[in-house]
Amino acid sequence: LIQPAGPWVRLALQMSLESEPVLRAITAVGAAHRANISVTHASLAVAMSADDKTLSRKLYGKALSALQTHIEKVKHRKAALEPVLITCLLLITFEILFEDEDTAFLHYTLARRLVDQLEADRNAAKSTFQLQSPATTNDLSSTFDRLRDDLAPLLDQMENQDSTQRELTRHIFPLRKQLSSQLTSLIAEGHALLHEFRSLATTNWQDRSDLDPAARLCLTYCHSRSVALPSTSNLATRTNILLDSLQAWSDMIATHRLGESRYAQLLRIRHFTSLFSLSTCRATSEIPTDDFTQTSTAILDVIEAYLSHSQLRTRAQSRDETTSISHDRGVLPALHIIATKSRDLSTRQRALALLRKYRRREGLRWSPVVAAIAEAVVNLEESRASAVSRGDDSLDAEFATEPMPEAARFAEIVICGARMDATHVRLVCARFEPGSSGRRIVLEEFEGEGEPLVMRATRLRAFDLGGVAWGGDVEVEVDRLCDV
């Protein structure tokens, strides 16, 4: 994730033989990578195995403790500095895997200060720290210089063009910081609510040995839309309150006219994803997504403006787009949602065009791969729409709505395959049977290869949940392997 990786990774492996913080950090990163199973929900949220996730967090805590002990030794010149820098790189990698860019930035800041002190020492011909090798510290300094370029977008809110803009920023920066903090809290609460809804459905699928992890995940997400809430649950009330709070946040952005700054643009993009996900999380049809038609168009304008500036920065710094990490994450999930969830074909195509034009990495996500998968989903739905319009007996045209028939839409999509490669992908897609009020889930599986991805149906199953208040065993009424 942090390029160029070769030199510092080799140093990390060598240092792990005698440095406890480096060894602890390596094991934490290894466990975190193993926890990242190659199954991803269409929201692009990171899917992790529970046991490995818990283990990696435990190892991460031990690495932090060992790092603190080593730093104390460095302060008294009883230990070399280089293991601190290597450990920071490993911890940043761990935090990127967990999409915790705030903590990653803190560890970067710590290491950056130490690297700057090394530079000052060289200029002053003195030595503040005990060092293992000048060549090693030079290599690490170069790595942190590169990382500084990758992290630069997080500092966009501090950029000023002229004295007037600097004066304006002096007054509005506290408000920006407040809005950012508020949105972070709202998004976290949204994730917690979605997790609770899905937890209610998880118990019905987690022990199904006849389903692989991708099918279980897809059915869980789909079933969470219709699963009955316990009589004592306050989930519905909390969801409505949070939706009101998200709307109030958006009104605040508009009131203070902060939407044109790049920092506010990124916040608006993240806000859109959270609002969309929460607003549609209990929908058993795709009709509620139509409420976001105009908003999606407006957000695409924001995204295009944001990415065009990012591209200019990347090229000005002569960085390789294929290896540069965008720590200002949130753009790819928004584009993927619009491409796969909008009913309007022109809107979907515009989102796909942006994914292809601006080559961007956010954590383990690579925009060309996201574009290829989203395009495959669009093509599958469009082909189903054509079948509905022809009156194909395999689809129920009674529920067709314009421009995209409801019977052609997918409610949930799970992606299986390498995150940086779209030449072989498996899609597990779930939808509610139109008119079933959340009672019946149709699960379809597709395999795709090539560039562009050519998908073929491999399996079709239907699950009768017994209604919205289903509380018994699921009945599988259809389980058919498709002709390939």
Side-chain angles (χ1 to χ4, degrees):
L1 290 174
I2 301 175
Q3 299 290 332
W8 76 264
V9 169
R10 286 193 293 271
L11 285 172
L13 294 174
Q14 293 169 4
M15 289 183 184
S16 67
L17 298 175
E18 55 187 27
S19 171
E20 182 182 2
V22 173
L23 177 61
R24 297 285 190 185
I26 286 176
T27 57
V29 170
H33 188 271
R34 188 174 65 181
N36 276 264
I37 58 179
S38 59
V39 174
T40 306
H41 182 250
S43 64
L44 303 189
V46 174
M48 292 187 170
S49 64
D51 292 343
D52 285 335
K53 181 178 180 180
T54 300
L55 173 61
S56 64
R57 282 292 190 187
K58 183 178 180 180
L59 294 172
Y60 173 75
K62 291 183 177 181
L64 289 175
S65 179
L67 175 62
Q68 185 59 47
T69 300
H70 191 90
I71 287 175
E72 290 301 317
K73 294 179 180 179
V74 170
K75 288 180 180 178
H76 298 90
R77 297 180 63 86
K78 294 181 178 180
L81 175 66
E82 289 91 340
V84 175
L85 302 179
I86 288 290
T87 303
C88 284
L89 287 171
L90 289 164
L91 293 178
I92 291 169
T93 301
F94 180 97
E95 288 141 7
I96 292 173
L97 289 172
F98 275 84
E99 298 186 348
D100 184 5
E101 69 268 23
D102 292 333
T103 307
F105 190 75
L106 291 176
H107 280 124
Y108 163 77
T109 302
L110 166 64
R112 184 72 248 177
R113 288 174 179 171
L114 295 174
V115 170
D116 289 344
Q117 183 61 53
L118 286 174
E119 182 65 25
D121 286 354
R122 278 194 290 268
N123 294 334
K126 67 175 185 177
S127 177
T128 303
F129 306 110
Q130 177 183 329
L131 303 176
Q132 292 179 344
S133 165
T136 298
T137 55
N138 288 337
D139 288 341
L140 291 174
S141 294
S142 298
T143 301
F144 280 101
D145 287 342
R146 168 63 181 271
L147 186 56
R148 177 180 57 196
D149 291 339
D150 285 341
L151 288 167
L154 293 179
L155 300 176
D156 278 340
Q157 66 269 35
M158 302 297 292
E159 291 184 350
N160 305 295
Q161 299 296 325
D162 51 41
S163 58
T164 302
Q165 183 67 20
R166 283 195 295 271
E167 180 63 21
L168 177 62
T169 301
R170 187 173 67 85
H171 292 289
I172 68 174
F173 180 68
L175 178 59
R176 287 183 182 175
K177 188 174 182 180
Q178 176 188 349
L179 289 170
S180 176
S181 177
Q182 288 177 349
L183 183 61
T184 299
S185 298
L186 293 174
I187 291 175
E189 174 63 13
H191 287 163
L193 286 171
L194 293 174
H195 177 74
E196 290 184 51
F197 281 122
R198 291 157 188 167
S199 294
L200 293 173
T202 297
T203 55
N204 300 300
W205 305 102
Q206 61 185 4
D207 296 325
R208 291 288 300 268
S209 59
D210 58 320
L211 300 170
D212 67 7
R216 286 197 296 268
L217 181 65
C218 195
L219 286 166
T220 297
Y221 272 60
C222 196
H223 187 197
S224 71
R225 293 167 172 263
S226 65
V227 67
L229 302 183
S231 58
T232 57
S233 173
N234 63 355
L235 278 173
T237 300
R238 288 165 55 201
T239 299
N240 290 332
I241 291 174
L242 183 54
L243 287 171
D244 290 341
S245 298
L246 286 167
Q247 183 58 53
W249 184 94
S250 182
D251 293 341
M252 183 72 72
I253 285 281
T255 299
H256 292 276
R257 299 181 179 179
L258 300 178
E260 297 306 316
S261 71
R262 275 181 48 77
Y263 187 58
Q265 286 173 342
L266 183 59
L267 294 182
R268 289 177 62 193
I269 295 167
R270 291 175 173 174
H271 171 270
F272 165 82
T273 302
S274 182
L275 181 64
F276 184 99
S277 300
L278 199 64
S279 298
T280 60
C281 70
R282 293 287 283 173
T284 57
S285 77
E286 293 303 289
I287 293 175
T289 65
D290 297 340
D291 294 338
F292 287 85
T293 300
Q294 292 183 345
T295 306
S296 295
T297 301
I299 287 297
L300 286 176
D301 291 339
V302 174
I303 291 174
E304 186 164 19
Y306 187 85
L307 291 180
S308 62
H309 185 280
S310 297
Q311 186 182 61
L312 291 174
R313 177 198 295 276
T314 300
R315 291 178 176 176
Q317 294 169 343
S318 300
R319 289 186 291 153
D320 184 356
E321 294 170 321
T322 63
T323 57
S324 295
I325 296 291
S326 299
H327 295 274
D328 48 336
R329 64 179 179 84
V331 177
L332 296 189
L335 285 173
H336 197 262
I337 281 179
I338 294 172
T340 57
K341 286 296 186 179
S342 175
R343 197 184 298 268
D344 179 65
L345 182 58
S346 62
T347 302
R348 306 178 99 171
Q349 289 175 335
R350 185 183 175 196
L352 290 172
L354 290 175
L355 283 167
R356 294 191 192 97
K357 179 179 179 180
Y358 299 101
R359 299 168 70 84
R360 178 181 178 86
R361 285 189 66 188
E362 294 184 8
L364 297 176
R365 306 293 168 224
W366 175 221
S367 59
V369 174
V370 175
I373 294 170
E375 183 179 35
V377 172
V378 171
N379 290 339
L380 286 172
E381 290 194 344
E382 288 295 326
S383 65
R384 290 179 60 83
S386 297
V388 168
S389 66
R390 294 194 307 266
D392 192 316
D393 291 339
S394 65
L395 296 172
D396 194 342
E398 177 185 352
F399 299 96
T401 57
E402 296 295 329
M404 168 66 71
E406 190 65 18
R409 307 300 307 278
F410 295 124
E412 300 289 352
I413 302 163
V414 166
I415 306 157
C416 308
R419 293 182 176 88
M420 296 295 289
D421 180 16
T423 56
H424 183 83
V425 173
R426 174 178 168 233
L427 297 180
V428 182
C429 308
R431 57 184 173 85
F432 288 101
E433 188 175 281
S436 71
S437 300
R439 180 180 182 270
R440 287 174 60 85
I441 295 176
V442 178
L443 191 72
E444 298 178 84
E445 298 182 28
F446 304 88
E447 297 274 352
E449 291 183 335
E451 295 184 35
L453 279 171
V454 177
M455 308 300 297
R456 69 182 191 280
T458 58
R459 196 171 191 181
L460 171 68
R461 286 176 281 184
F463 298 83
D464 193 324
L465 306 182
V468 175
W470 170 58
D473 293 333
V474 65
E475 179 183 354
V476 182
E477 295 197 354
V478 178
D479 187 353
R480 178 165 61 87
L481 294 178
C482 299
D483 294 333
V484 296

